[in-house]
């Protein structure tokens, strides 16, 4: 089986894969952010990378090293910046990093690039970085970029299966059932089930304050309970994500 990790290859091998074979390159985008006492700080980029690896294996693609720092954690979807270990970027920094990276992949000869996002707060800044890079490359840019948030590929039947009592929404799922179940599937050695707190669901007002109010967020940083997380649920989700993202990549890139 061909290797899929860009950073495990020599440059001539990588060049052959992208220029001769036309391999799609996956760029995982995540964050270094608190995920409660039971999940590691790297959860967002670990999951983005793992999903990218699953899909790349399916479609004959390559996986680049992840962008491991993301946009600033927000109280309503990531707990906020007041947690030790959360290490975030300003918007302009993230935009610039994405802009430069996309341009570099174009220079390598990559023709199909997929940014797989695992951090809720990143979305519009990834979009801006891609847009500026495409503009830099001029008319008829040499590559096409797909940006996706992996959670958008869950179907309602799967969410109903995982949340028989009702889905709380993606924002409140920070460090909860979805991420914990997927980490149990991909990285069970990094999950501490014995430390899952009883916090949540968080009850936020319909407005924001600046500076943010840390008291709005449960002390653990978990916005909804992860106690219903299981490795089996993670397997259901990964199977669906892999199938549906691979189908999207094949549809757009052949």
């Amino acid at each position: 089986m061909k290797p899929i990790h860009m950073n495990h290859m020599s440059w001539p091998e990588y060049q052959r894969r992208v220029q001769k074979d036309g391999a799609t390159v996956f760029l995982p985008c995540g964050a270094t952010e608190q995920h409660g006492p039971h999940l590691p700080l790297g959860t967002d980029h670990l999951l983005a990378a793992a999903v990218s690896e699953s899909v790349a294996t399916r479609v004959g693609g390559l996986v680049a090293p992840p962008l491991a720092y993301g946009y600033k954690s927000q109280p309503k979807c990531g707990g906020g910046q007041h947690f030790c270990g959360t290490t975030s970027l300003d918007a302009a920094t993230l935009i610039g990093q994405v802009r430069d990276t996309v341009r570099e992949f174009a220079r390598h000869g990559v023709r199909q690039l997929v940014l797989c996002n695992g951090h809720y707060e990143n979305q519009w800044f990834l979009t801006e970085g891609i847009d500026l890079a495409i503009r830099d490359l001029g008319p008829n840019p040499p590559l096409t970029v797909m940006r996706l948030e992996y959670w958008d590929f869950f179907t309602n039947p799967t969410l109903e299966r995982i949340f028989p009592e009702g889905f709380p929404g993606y924002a409140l799922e920070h460090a909860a059932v979805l991420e914990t179940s997927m980490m149990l599937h991909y990285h069970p050695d990094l999950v501490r089930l014995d430390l899952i707190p009883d916090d949540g669901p968080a009850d936020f007002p319909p407005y924001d304050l600046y500076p943010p109010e840390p008291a709005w967020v449960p002390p653990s940083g978990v916005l909804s309970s992860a106690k219903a997380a299981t490795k089996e649920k993670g397997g259901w989700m990964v199977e669906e994500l892999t199938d549906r993202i691979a189908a999207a990549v094949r549809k757009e890139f052949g």
Side-chain angles (χ1 to χ4, degrees):
M1 194 166 100
K2 291 182 179 179
I4 65 168
H5 292 96
M6 172 187 174
N7 58 339
H8 294 180
M9 299 177 181
S10 67
W11 76 263
E13 182 181 12
Y14 170 70
Q15 184 179 53
R16 285 194 299 272
R17 294 291 299 279
V18 298
Q19 294 185 9
K20 183 179 178 181
D21 299 344
T24 298
V25 173
F26 292 79
L27 176 60
C29 304
T32 299
E33 177 189 47
Q34 72 82 23
H35 278 73
H38 64 292
L39 292 178
L41 289 159
T43 291
D44 285 347
H45 68 260
L46 289 169
L47 289 180
V51 171
S52 295
E53 290 162 11
S54 294
V55 180
T57 299
R58 185 76 61 87
V59 302
L62 303 177
V63 181
L67 302 183
Y69 298 101
Y71 182 67
K72 287 171 278 194
S73 180
Q74 301 299 302
K76 292 183 179 179
C77 52
Q81 286 292 115
H82 59 283
F83 288 93
C84 185
T86 294
T87 309
S88 303
L89 303 178
D90 288 342
T93 307
L94 179 57
I95 290 167
Q97 186 176 35
V98 173
R99 182 181 190 173
D100 290 351
T101 306
V102 172
R103 284 202 314 255
E104 284 294 278
F105 282 116
R107 182 179 63 80
H108 300 165
V110 173
R111 296 295 174 259
Q112 296 104 219
L113 179 65
V114 179
L115 271 68
C116 179
N117 182 31
H119 180 58
Y120 196 87
E121 291 92 327
N122 279 349
Q123 298 178 54
W124 293 112
F125 309 110
L126 299 182
T127 299
E128 179 69 0
I130 294 166
D131 184 67
L132 293 176
I134 294 295
R135 188 172 73 186
D136 294 341
L137 293 169
N140 303 312
L143 85 171
T144 301
V145 183
M146 175 187 291
R147 192 213 86 232
L148 61 89
E149 283 70 51
Y150 69 75
W151 52 83
D152 284 339
F153 288 81
F154 292 130
T155 61
N156 286 332
T158 292
L159 291 176
E160 291 167 2
R161 187 181 186 190
I162 295 166
F163 299 97
E165 297 181 1
F167 178 48
Y170 289 116
L172 288 183
E173 264 298 297
H174 178 75
V177 173
L178 292 179
E179 290 185 314
T180 303
S181 295
M182 289 179 66
M183 286 294 288
L184 283 168
H185 175 84
Y186 280 125
H187 297 288
D189 55 314
L190 299 180
V191 181
R192 288 289 306 273
L193 291 175
D194 57 311
L195 296 181
I196 292 177
D198 291 319
D199 293 337
D203 184 19
F204 293 110
Y207 54 84
D208 294 314
L209 289 178
Y210 301 94
E213 179 49 71
W216 288 358
V217 181
S220 69
V222 177
L223 304 186
S224 187
S225 177
K227 286 189 174 293
T230 67
K231 185 174 182 177
E232 183 182 29
K233 290 179 179 179
W236 299 341
M237 288 186 280
V238 167
E239 181 178 6
E240 177 164 77
L241 289 178
T242 304
D243 287 345
R244 300 192 75 229
I245 296 175
V249 170
R250 289 191 181 107
K251 176 184 175 183
E252 299 301 332
F253 297 147

